[in-house]
Amino acid sequence: MNAQELRAKTPDELRNELANLKKEAFNLRFQQATGQLENTAQMRKVRRDAARVKTILNEKANTAE
């Protein structure tokens, strides 16, 4: 997902996306702990996507003030 796609979403949609990314990150950490994770790069991608969503949410909050 890229920043342009995220900027087109509403803050509520972004919060839902962030919640989904956090759940996915938890599942990936669990898989890694049990030795079932095959693609370790996926963890990095999910973390970066979550950070990207947080950044867009903060940008939207700052422009609303």
Side-chain angles (χ1 to χ4, degrees):
M1 101 185 49
N2 61 25
Q4 285 183 338
E5 293 173 0
L6 293 174
R7 285 191 177 95
K9 294 185 178 187
T10 64
D12 288 334
E13 290 174 333
L14 289 172
R15 286 186 201 94
N16 288 337
E17 184 70 30
L18 183 60
N20 291 337
L21 287 168
K22 286 185 176 186
K23 287 178 188 176
E24 187 176 352
F26 173 79
N27 289 333
L28 289 171
R29 284 194 312 269
F30 195 85
Q31 286 178 10
Q32 185 181 31
T34 59
Q36 297 174 348
L37 184 63
E38 294 180 9
N39 184 6
T40 57
Q42 184 68 21
M43 291 180 66
R44 180 179 182 182
K45 182 185 179 304
V46 170
R47 271 199 327 265
R48 287 186 175 201
D49 285 346
R52 193 172 290 120
V53 169
K54 287 180 182 180
T55 300
I56 303 296
L57 272 171
N58 283 334
E59 286 177 0
K60 288 183 180 272
N62 288 337
T63 58
E65 292 178 0

Coordinates of all heavy atoms in Angstrom, one line a residue:
M1 N 0.8 -1.2 0.0 CA 0.0 0.0 0.0 C 0.9 1.2 0.0 O 1.9 1.2 0.6 CB -0.9 -0.1 1.2 CG -0.6 0.7 2.4 SD -1.7 0.5 3.8 CE -1.7 -1.3 3.9
N2 N 0.5 2.3 -0.7 CA 1.3 3.5 -0.8 C 0.6 4.6 -0.1 O -0.6 4.5 0.2 CB 1.7 3.8 -2.2 CG 0.5 4.1 -3.1 OD1 -0.5 4.5 -2.7 ND2 0.7 3.8 -4.4
A3 N 1.3 5.7 0.1 CA 0.8 6.9 0.8 C -0.4 7.5 0.1 O -1.3 8.0 0.7 CB 1.9 7.9 1.1
Q4 N -0.4 7.5 -1.2 CA -1.5 8.1 -1.9 C -2.8 7.4 -1.7 O -3.9 8.0 -1.5 CB -1.2 8.2 -3.4 CG -0.2 9.2 -3.8 CD 0.0 9.3 -5.3 OE1 -0.3 8.3 -6.0 NE2 0.5 10.4 -5.8
E5 N -2.8 6.1 -1.7 CA -4.0 5.3 -1.4 C -4.5 5.6 0.0 O -5.7 5.7 0.2 CB -3.7 3.8 -1.5 CG -3.3 3.3 -2.9 CD -2.9 1.9 -2.9 OE1 -2.8 1.3 -1.9 OE2 -2.6 1.4 -4.0
L6 N -3.6 5.7 1.0 CA -3.9 6.0 2.3 C -4.5 7.4 2.5 O -5.5 7.6 3.3 CB -2.8 5.8 3.3 CG -2.2 4.4 3.4 CD1 -1.0 4.3 4.2 CD2 -3.3 3.5 4.0
R7 N -4.0 8.4 1.8 CA -4.5 9.7 2.0 C -5.9 9.9 1.4 O -6.6 10.8 1.8 CB -3.6 10.7 1.2 CG -2.3 10.9 2.0 CD -1.5 12.1 1.4 NE -0.3 12.3 2.3 CZ 0.9 11.8 2.0 NH1 1.1 11.1 1.0 NH2 1.9 12.1 2.8
A8 N -6.3 9.0 0.5 CA -7.7 9.0 0.0 C -8.7 8.4 1.0 O -9.9 8.6 0.8 CB -7.7 8.2 -1.3
K9 N -8.2 7.7 2.0 CA -9.2 7.1 3.0 C -9.5 8.1 4.1 O -8.8 9.0 4.4 CB -8.5 5.9 3.6 CG -8.3 4.8 2.6 CD -7.8 3.5 3.2 CE -7.6 2.4 2.2 NZ -7.3 1.1 2.8
T10 N -10.7 7.8 4.7 CA -11.1 8.6 5.8 C -10.3 8.2 7.1 O -9.8 7.1 7.1 CB -12.6 8.4 6.1 OG1 -12.9 7.1 6.5 CG2 -13.4 8.8 4.8
P11 N -10.3 9.0 8.1 CA -9.6 8.6 9.4 C -10.2 7.4 10.0 O -9.4 6.6 10.5 CB -9.9 9.8 10.3 CG -10.0 11.0 9.4 CD -10.7 10.4 8.1
D12 N -11.5 7.1 9.9 CA -12.1 5.9 10.4 C -11.5 4.7 9.7 O -11.2 3.6 10.3 CB -13.6 5.9 10.4 CG -14.2 6.8 11.4 OD1 -13.5 7.1 12.4 OD2 -15.3 7.3 11.2
E13 N -11.5 4.8 8.3 CA -10.9 3.7 7.5 C -9.4 3.4 7.9 O -9.0 2.3 7.9 CB -11.0 4.0 6.1 CG -12.5 4.0 5.5 CD -12.6 4.4 4.1 OE1 -11.7 5.2 3.6 OE2 -13.5 4.0 3.4
L14 N -8.7 4.5 8.1 CA -7.3 4.4 8.5 C -7.1 3.7 9.8 O -6.2 2.9 10.0 CB -6.6 5.7 8.5 CG -6.4 6.4 7.1 CD1 -5.9 7.8 7.3 CD2 -5.5 5.6 6.3
R15 N -8.0 4.0 10.8 CA -7.9 3.4 12.1 C -8.2 1.9 12.0 O -7.6 1.0 12.6 CB -8.9 4.0 13.1 CG -8.4 5.4 13.6 CD -9.3 6.0 14.6 NE -9.1 7.4 14.7 CZ -9.9 8.3 14.1 NH1 -10.9 7.9 13.4 NH2 -9.6 9.6 14.2
N16 N -9.2 1.5 11.1 CA -9.5 0.1 10.9 C -8.3 -0.6 10.3 O -8.0 -1.7 10.6 CB -10.7 0.0 10.0 CG -12.0 0.3 10.8 OD1 -12.1 0.3 12.0 ND2 -13.0 0.7 10.0
E17 N -7.7 0.1 9.3 CA -6.5 -0.5 8.6 C -5.4 -0.7 9.6 O -4.7 -1.7 9.6 CB -6.1 0.4 7.5 CG -4.9 -0.1 6.7 CD -5.3 -1.2 5.8 OE1 -6.5 -1.3 5.4 OE2 -4.5 -2.1 5.5
L18 N -5.2 0.3 10.5 CA -4.1 0.1 11.5 C -4.4 -1.0 12.5 O -3.5 -1.8 12.8 CB -4.0 1.5 12.3 CG -2.9 1.5 13.4 CD1 -1.6 1.3 12.8 CD2 -3.0 2.9 14.1
A19 N -5.7 -1.2 12.9 CA -6.0 -2.3 13.7 C -5.7 -3.7 13.0 O -5.2 -4.6 13.7 CB -7.5 -2.2 14.1
N20 N -6.1 -3.7 11.8 CA -5.8 -5.0 11.0 C -4.3 -5.2 10.9 O -3.9 -6.4 11.0 CB -6.4 -4.9 9.6 CG -7.9 -4.9 9.6 OD1 -8.5 -5.4 10.6 ND2 -8.5 -4.4 8.6
L21 N -3.5 -4.2 10.7 CA -2.1 -4.3 10.6 C -1.5 -4.8 11.9 O -0.6 -5.6 11.9 CB -1.4 -3.1 10.1 CG -1.6 -2.7 8.6 CD1 -1.2 -1.3 8.4 CD2 -0.9 -3.7 7.7
K22 N -2.0 -4.3 13.0 CA -1.5 -4.7 14.3 C -1.8 -6.2 14.6 O -1.0 -6.9 15.1 CB -2.1 -3.8 15.4 CG -1.5 -2.4 15.5 CD -2.0 -1.6 16.6 CE -1.3 -0.3 16.7 NZ -1.7 0.4 17.9
K23 N -3.0 -6.6 14.2 CA -3.4 -8.0 14.3 C -2.5 -8.9 13.5 O -2.0 -9.9 13.9 CB -4.8 -8.2 13.9 CG -5.8 -7.7 14.9 CD -7.3 -7.9 14.4 CE -8.3 -7.2 15.3 NZ -9.6 -7.3 14.8
E24 N -2.2 -8.4 12.3 CA -1.3 -9.2 11.4 C 0.1 -9.3 12.0 O 0.7 -10.3 11.9 CB -1.3 -8.6 10.0 CG -0.6 -9.4 9.0 CD -0.6 -8.8 7.6 OE1 -1.4 -7.9 7.4 OE2 0.1 -9.4 6.7
A25 N 0.6 -8.2 12.5 CA 1.9 -8.2 13.1 C 2.0 -9.1 14.3 O 3.0 -9.9 14.5 CB 2.3 -6.8 13.6
F26 N 0.9 -9.2 15.1 CA 0.9 -10.1 16.2 C 0.9 -11.5 15.7 O 1.7 -12.4 16.3 CB -0.4 -9.9 17.0 CG -0.6 -10.9 18.1 CD1 0.1 -10.8 19.3 CD2 -1.5 -12.0 17.9 CE1 -0.1 -11.8 20.3 CE2 -1.7 -12.9 18.9 CZ -1.0 -12.8 20.1
N27 N 0.1 -11.8 14.7 CA 0.1 -13.2 14.2 C 1.5 -13.6 13.6 O 1.9 -14.7 13.7 CB -0.9 -13.3 13.1 CG -2.3 -13.3 13.7 OD1 -2.5 -13.7 14.8 ND2 -3.3 -12.9 12.9
L28 N 2.1 -12.6 12.9 CA 3.5 -12.9 12.4 C 4.5 -13.2 13.5 O 5.3 -14.0 13.4 CB 3.9 -11.8 11.5 CG 3.2 -11.7 10.2 CD1 3.6 -10.4 9.4 CD2 3.4 -12.9 9.3
R29 N 4.4 -12.4 14.6 CA 5.3 -12.6 15.7 C 5.1 -14.0 16.3 O 6.0 -14.7 16.7 CB 5.1 -11.5 16.8 CG 5.8 -10.2 16.4 CD 5.9 -9.3 17.6 NE 4.6 -9.2 18.4 CZ 3.7 -8.2 18.2 NH1 3.8 -7.4 17.2 NH2 2.6 -8.2 18.9
F30 N 3.8 -14.4 16.4 CA 3.5 -15.7 17.0 C 4.0 -16.8 16.1 O 4.6 -17.8 16.6 CB 2.0 -15.8 17.1 CG 1.5 -16.9 18.0 CD1 1.5 -16.8 19.3 CD2 1.2 -18.1 17.4 CE1 1.1 -17.8 20.1 CE2 0.8 -19.2 18.2 CZ 0.7 -19.0 19.6
Q31 N 3.9 -16.6 14.8 CA 4.4 -17.6 13.8 C 5.9 -17.7 13.9 O 6.5 -18.8 13.9 CB 4.0 -17.3 12.4 CG 2.6 -17.5 12.1 CD 2.2 -17.1 10.7 OE1 3.1 -16.8 9.9 NE2 1.0 -17.1 10.4
Q32 N 6.6 -16.6 14.1 CA 8.0 -16.6 14.2 C 8.5 -17.3 15.5 O 9.4 -18.1 15.5 CB 8.6 -15.2 14.2 CG 10.1 -15.1 14.2 CD 10.7 -13.8 14.2 OE1 10.1 -12.8 14.7 NE2 11.8 -13.6 13.6
A33 N 7.8 -17.1 16.6 CA 8.1 -17.7 17.8 C 7.9 -19.2 17.8 O 8.7 -19.9 18.5 CB 7.3 -17.1 19.0
T34 N 7.0 -19.7 17.0 CA 6.7 -21.1 16.9 C 7.5 -21.7 15.8 O 7.4 -23.0 15.6 CB 5.2 -21.4 16.8 OG1 4.8 -20.8 15.6 CG2 4.5 -21.0 18.0
G35 N 8.3 -20.9 15.0 CA 9.1 -21.5 13.9 C 8.3 -21.8 12.7 O 8.8 -22.5 11.8
Q36 N 7.1 -21.2 12.5 CA 6.3 -21.4 11.3 C 6.4 -20.4 10.3 O 5.9 -20.5 9.2 CB 4.8 -21.6 11.7 CG 4.6 -22.8 12.6 CD 3.1 -22.8 13.1 OE1 2.4 -21.8 13.0 NE2 2.7 -23.9 13.7
L37 N 7.1 -19.3 10.6 CA 7.2 -18.1 9.7 C 8.2 -18.4 8.6 O 9.4 -18.7 8.9 CB 7.5 -16.9 10.4 CG 7.6 -15.6 9.6 CD1 6.2 -15.3 9.1 CD2 8.1 -14.4 10.5
E38 N 7.8 -18.4 7.3 CA 8.7 -18.6 6.2 C 9.2 -17.3 5.6 O 10.4 -17.3 5.3 CB 7.9 -19.4 5.1 CG 7.5 -20.8 5.6 CD 6.8 -21.6 4.5 OE1 6.7 -21.1 3.4 OE2 6.3 -22.7 4.8
N39 N 8.4 -16.3 5.5 CA 8.8 -15.1 4.9 C 9.0 -14.0 6.0 O 8.1 -13.3 6.4 CB 7.8 -14.6 3.9 CG 8.2 -13.4 3.1 OD1 9.3 -12.9 3.3 ND2 7.3 -12.8 2.3
T40 N 10.2 -13.9 6.4 CA 10.5 -12.9 7.5 C 10.4 -11.5 7.1 O 10.2 -10.6 7.9 CB 11.9 -13.2 8.1 OG1 12.9 -13.1 7.1 CG2 12.0 -14.6 8.8
A41 N 10.5 -11.2 5.8 CA 10.4 -9.9 5.3 C 9.0 -9.3 5.4 O 8.8 -8.1 5.5 CB 10.9 -9.8 3.8
Q42 N 8.0 -10.2 5.6 CA 6.7 -9.8 5.8 C 6.5 -9.0 7.0 O 5.7 -8.0 7.1 CB 5.7 -11.0 5.8 CG 4.3 -10.7 5.8 CD 3.8 -10.0 4.6 OE1 4.4 -10.1 3.5 NE2 2.7 -9.3 4.7
M43 N 7.2 -9.3 8.1 CA 7.1 -8.6 9.3 C 7.6 -7.2 9.2 O 6.9 -6.2 9.7 CB 8.0 -9.3 10.4 CG 7.5 -10.6 10.9 SD 8.6 -11.4 12.1 CE 8.4 -10.2 13.4
R44 N 8.6 -7.0 8.4 CA 9.1 -5.6 8.2 C 8.1 -4.8 7.4 O 7.8 -3.6 7.7 CB 10.4 -5.7 7.5 CG 11.1 -4.3 7.1 CD 12.4 -4.5 6.4 NE 13.0 -3.2 6.2 CZ 14.1 -3.0 5.6 NH1 14.8 -4.1 5.1 NH2 14.6 -1.8 5.4
K45 N 7.5 -5.4 6.4 CA 6.5 -4.8 5.5 C 5.3 -4.3 6.4 O 4.8 -3.2 6.2 CB 6.1 -5.7 4.4 CG 5.1 -5.1 3.5 CD 4.6 -6.1 2.4 CE 3.6 -5.5 1.5 NZ 2.4 -4.9 2.1
V46 N 4.8 -5.2 7.3 CA 3.7 -4.9 8.1 C 4.0 -3.7 9.0 O 3.2 -2.8 9.2 CB 3.2 -6.1 8.8 CG1 2.1 -5.8 9.9 CG2 2.6 -7.1 7.8
R47 N 5.2 -3.8 9.6 CA 5.6 -2.7 10.6 C 5.6 -1.4 9.8 O 5.2 -0.4 10.4 CB 6.9 -3.0 11.2 CG 6.9 -3.8 12.4 CD 8.2 -3.7 13.2 NE 9.4 -3.6 12.5 CZ 10.2 -4.6 12.1 NH1 9.9 -5.8 12.4 NH2 11.3 -4.3 11.4
R48 N 6.2 -1.4 8.7 CA 6.3 -0.1 7.9 C 5.0 0.4 7.4 O 4.7 1.6 7.4 CB 7.3 -0.3 6.7 CG 8.7 -0.4 7.2 CD 9.6 -0.5 6.0 NE 11.0 -0.4 6.5 CZ 12.0 0.0 5.8 NH1 11.9 0.3 4.5 NH2 13.2 0.0 6.3
D49 N 4.1 -0.5 7.1 CA 2.7 -0.1 6.7 C 2.0 0.5 7.8 O 1.3 1.5 7.7 CB 1.9 -1.3 6.1 CG 2.4 -1.7 4.7 OD1 3.1 -0.9 4.1 OD2 2.0 -2.8 4.3
A50 N 2.2 -0.1 9.0 CA 1.5 0.5 10.2 C 2.1 1.9 10.5 O 1.3 2.8 10.8 CB 1.7 -0.4 11.4
A51 N 3.3 2.1 10.4 CA 3.9 3.4 10.6 C 3.4 4.4 9.6 O 3.2 5.5 9.9 CB 5.5 3.3 10.6
R52 N 3.3 3.9 8.3 CA 2.8 4.8 7.3 C 1.4 5.2 7.6 O 1.0 6.4 7.4 CB 2.9 4.0 6.0 CG 2.7 4.9 4.7 CD 3.0 4.1 3.5 NE 4.4 3.8 3.3 CZ 4.9 2.6 3.3 NH1 4.1 1.5 3.3 NH2 6.2 2.4 3.2
V53 N 0.5 4.3 8.1 CA -0.9 4.7 8.4 C -0.9 5.7 9.6 O -1.6 6.6 9.6 CB -1.7 3.4 8.8 CG1 -3.0 3.7 9.4 CG2 -1.8 2.5 7.6
K54 N 0.0 5.4 10.6 CA 0.0 6.4 11.7 C 0.5 7.8 11.3 O -0.1 8.8 11.7 CB 1.0 5.9 12.8 CG 0.5 4.7 13.6 CD 1.6 4.3 14.6 CE 1.1 3.1 15.4 NZ 2.1 2.7 16.4
T55 N 1.4 7.8 10.3 CA 1.9 9.1 9.8 C 0.8 9.9 9.1 O 0.6 11.1 9.3 CB 3.1 8.9 8.9 OG1 4.1 8.3 9.6 CG2 3.6 10.2 8.3
I56 N 0.0 9.2 8.3 CA -1.1 9.8 7.6 C -2.2 10.3 8.5 O -2.8 11.3 8.4 CB -1.7 8.8 6.5 CG1 -0.6 8.4 5.5 CG2 -2.9 9.5 5.8 CD1 0.0 9.4 4.7
L57 N -2.5 9.4 9.6 CA -3.5 9.8 10.6 C -3.0 11.1 11.3 O -3.8 12.0 11.5 CB -3.7 8.7 11.6 CG -4.7 7.7 11.3 CD1 -4.6 6.5 12.2 CD2 -6.1 8.3 11.3
N58 N -1.7 11.2 11.6 CA -1.2 12.4 12.3 C -1.3 13.6 11.4 O -1.6 14.7 11.8 CB 0.2 12.2 12.8 CG 0.3 11.4 14.0 OD1 -0.7 11.3 14.8 ND2 1.4 10.7 14.2
E59 N -1.0 13.4 10.1 CA -1.1 14.5 9.1 C -2.5 15.0 9.0 O -2.8 16.2 9.0 CB -0.6 14.1 7.8 CG 0.8 13.9 7.6 CD 1.2 13.4 6.2 OE1 0.3 13.1 5.4 OE2 2.4 13.2 6.0
K60 N -3.5 14.1 9.0 CA -4.9 14.5 8.9 C -5.3 15.2 10.2 O -6.1 16.2 10.1 CB -5.8 13.3 8.6 CG -5.6 12.8 7.2 CD -6.6 11.6 6.9 CE -6.5 11.1 5.5 NZ -7.3 11.8 4.6
A61 N -4.9 14.8 11.3 CA -5.2 15.4 12.6 C -4.7 16.8 12.7 O -5.3 17.7 13.2 CB -4.7 14.5 13.8
N62 N -3.4 17.0 12.2 CA -2.8 18.3 12.3 C -3.5 19.3 11.3 O -3.5 20.5 11.6 CB -1.3 18.2 12.0 CG -0.6 17.5 13.1 OD1 -1.0 17.6 14.2 ND2 0.6 17.0 12.8
T63 N -3.9 18.8 10.1 CA -4.6 19.7 9.2 C -6.0 20.1 9.7 O -6.5 21.1 9.3 CB -4.6 19.1 7.8 OG1 -5.3 17.9 7.8 CG2 -3.2 18.9 7.2
A64 N -6.6 19.2 10.5 CA -8.0 19.5 10.9 C -8.0 20.6 12.0 O -9.0 21.2 12.3 CB -8.6 18.2 11.5
E65 N -6.8 20.8 12.7 CA -6.8 21.8 13.8 C -6.7 23.2 13.3 O -6.4 23.5 12.3 CB -5.6 21.5 14.7 CG -5.7 20.2 15.4 CD -4.5 19.9 16.3 OE1 -3.5 20.7 16.3 OE2 -4.5 18.9 16.9

